[in-house]
Amino acid sequence: MVTRRAECSCAQLSATCSGEPVRVSLCHCLACKRRTGSAFSFNARFADGDVSVQGRSAEFTRIGDEGGRVIYSFCPIAAPPSITGSTRSPV
């Protein structure tokens, strides 16, 4: 089984994902452009049970145009969003 690990710049917050992503997507909505500082946001979604998060995080919740909530968890020290959850996503 493949294991992937991501961490913030200061390495105090990390996420380990097991197996394959449920979905890989690309978004170019204005909110994602603002969040990433780029023209696109690349996303890999994993089932909740396949993700383990270690460290301290802060959260920001964005409510989408259709009412869905997206929760961005990020390192309060290094700051860029690194872990995202959605109430509209099937996983």
Side-chain angles (χ1 to χ4, degrees):
M1 179 182 306
V2 176
T3 301
R4 295 170 177 88
R5 180 178 162 85
E7 63 183 32
C8 65
S9 296
C10 72
Q12 82 76 33
L13 177 64
S14 65
T16 303
C17 305
S18 300
E20 294 300 317
V22 174
R23 179 168 53 171
V24 176
S25 61
L26 171 91
C27 185
H28 56 84
C29 75
L30 182 58
C32 283
K33 288 178 182 180
R34 286 180 177 158
R35 180 176 58 85
T36 63
S38 177
F40 299 98
S41 169
F42 294 93
N43 307 285
R45 296 184 184 186
F46 291 83
D48 286 343
D50 293 342
V51 180
S52 173
V53 178
Q54 297 83 32
R56 187 171 53 94
S57 66
E59 290 184 348
F60 168 75
T61 301
R62 183 176 64 82
I63 300 173
D65 295 338
E66 297 180 12
R69 293 177 184 269
V70 178
I71 301 168
Y72 299 99
S73 298
F74 56 93
C75 175
I77 299 166
S82 55
I83 304 164
T84 306
S86 172
T87 58
R88 293 279 179 143
S89 179
V91 279

